[in-house]
Amino acid sequence: MAHRFILNVGDGNIVKVECHETLASTLDLARIYARLGYPDKYIVFSESQTKVSATGEPLKPGERESGVYISCILRPSIFPAQAGFLGAMSAVAMISALEEHTTKELGLGWVSDIYCEGRKIGSASAEGKLDDFSSYEYVIVSFAAKLTNADFPPRLTDLVKKVFESENAPIAMIIAKNILSKFLAMFPKNLKSPEKFMETYRQKFILTGQRVTYISNGGKRKSGKILSVDSSNGTLIIENNSGELKRISNQKSVIIPKKIKIKQK
């Protein structure tokens, strides 16, 4: 059974939350609601999913993964060109929130994957439907992270005492509120000046130096080393085995490992 309530996430943002204990997918339900005309800032939240893992892998029949799963319906006045940075901005908001709930080292993968101690634990994503070539009927931004007590203890007094200390709520809901607070404080105004969050994105980016497989323009699989992310357009910069630099904008063209070796600082 779903519970619906109004939530103040700060900075003047009031959201409508539909809370579930378990769903197959918050994104699937949010897509239906968006097509039906549900309002701006309508949130679908669940503490567990049964269809897709936070890492993007399908779950086995009968399997349930616990964590924080959020899909936010937005009806923004933004241009399609601005939406290109939405994934990176969502990832920055998400990792900033998660860092307040763990002592483990978190990092960003490309475009919006979240790593904890070198293991992929979740991601942010965005999709939308255009009314025409200049405006959106809706955008759905989703956040998903697999939570374990080892990585995200139910109580981390020293880190989160100043935030939500008096709230009697599950840790997943507390984290969800924190993610939404940070995201909506940035959206959509920071899309006009992405350099404000892209600098943070580059600082949290942990794939530099990692070897990956990518699909060339000719459709062949090739190997290369990640050099960086271009903060001006969000493209991934790869040096192939011949020493040539490749800029890739399509996430599906790169096979990035779900577990990486963190370099010692």
Side-chain angles (χ1 to χ4, degrees):
M1 180 181 294
H3 299 279
R4 298 174 178 84
F5 52 90
I6 304 299
L7 185 65
N8 184 344
V9 296
D11 202 33
N13 287 299
I14 307 296
V15 300
K16 306 166 189 69
V17 180
E18 180 174 308
C19 181
H20 297 258
E21 182 179 346
T22 302
L23 275 179
S25 165
T26 61
L27 179 55
D28 285 353
L29 187 55
R31 285 172 178 152
I32 295 172
Y33 287 167
R35 297 187 196 109
L36 290 174
Y38 276 51
D40 181 52
K41 297 178 185 176
Y42 191 91
I43 311 296
V44 180
F45 164 81
S46 180
E47 293 181 59
S48 62
Q49 285 198 159
T50 60
K51 182 179 178 181
V52 181
S53 167
T55 62
E57 298 296 326
L59 296 172
K60 298 178 182 178
E63 186 178 3
R64 183 174 71 173
E65 180 183 85
S66 297
V68 54
Y69 308 90
I70 313 164
S71 289
C72 179
I73 299 171
L74 301 168
R75 300 192 180 276
S77 298
I78 60 173
F79 297 109
Q82 294 174 320
F85 279 99
L86 190 51
M89 189 181 77
S90 302
V92 168
M94 186 176 182
I95 196 172
S96 298
L98 290 176
E99 283 181 331
E100 295 183 4
H101 299 272
T102 184
T103 57
K104 299 294 181 70
E105 182 179 353
L106 302 182
L108 289 176
W110 190 73
V111 172
S112 51
D113 293 334
I114 306 293
Y115 285 80
C116 178
E117 301 286 303
R119 295 171 288 106
K120 183 180 175 183
I121 62 165
S123 66
S125 64
E127 62 176 61
K129 180 184 178 184
L130 286 168
D131 261 342
D132 48 44
F133 291 107
S134 61
S135 63
Y136 282 95
E137 179 182 334
Y138 63 80
V139 171
I140 301 174
V141 178
S142 295
F143 306 89
K146 181 179 179 180
L147 302 184
T148 65
N149 286 346
D151 295 334
F152 298 91
R155 295 282 292 180
L156 265 180
T157 306
D158 292 341
L159 288 179
V160 297
K161 186 174 181 179
K162 67 182 189 306
V163 187
F164 314 122
E165 170 66 15
S166 62
E167 293 193 13
N168 182 21
I171 186 66
M173 175 53 78
I174 292 173
I175 292 176
K177 180 180 177 181
N178 205 359
I179 292 172
L180 290 169
S181 175
K182 293 186 182 299
F183 171 70
L184 292 173
M186 299 171 67
F187 178 85
K189 57 186 177 182
N190 283 18
L191 288 177
K192 297 178 181 179
S193 51
E195 64 277 1
K196 292 182 179 180
F197 59 84
M198 283 304 295
E199 179 59 32
T200 302
Y201 184 95
R202 287 170 59 89
Q203 291 173 2
K204 302 292 184 182
F205 188 72
I206 62 170
L207 297 182
T208 300
Q210 296 293 320
R211 296 200 65 81
V212 294
T213 300
Y214 68 95
I215 311 299
S216 68
N217 292 335
K220 295 182 178 180
R221 288 195 175 195
K222 294 190 175 182
S223 177
K225 181 174 67 175
I226 296 176
L227 297 184
S228 184
V229 173
D230 190 328
S231 58
S232 66
N233 55 25
T235 58
L236 189 68
I237 304 173
I238 294 178
E239 181 183 36
N240 67 16
N241 292 339
S242 301
E244 300 173 311
L245 295 186
K246 299 293 181 181
R247 294 177 179 269
I248 299 178
S249 58
N250 185 358
Q251 189 176 14
K252 294 181 180 179
S253 297
V254 187
I255 302 172
I256 296 176
K258 291 181 171 55
K259 188 174 182 179
I260 62 174
K261 185 176 181 180
I262 300 293
K263 295 180 179 179
Q264 297 297 321
K265 294 183 179 180

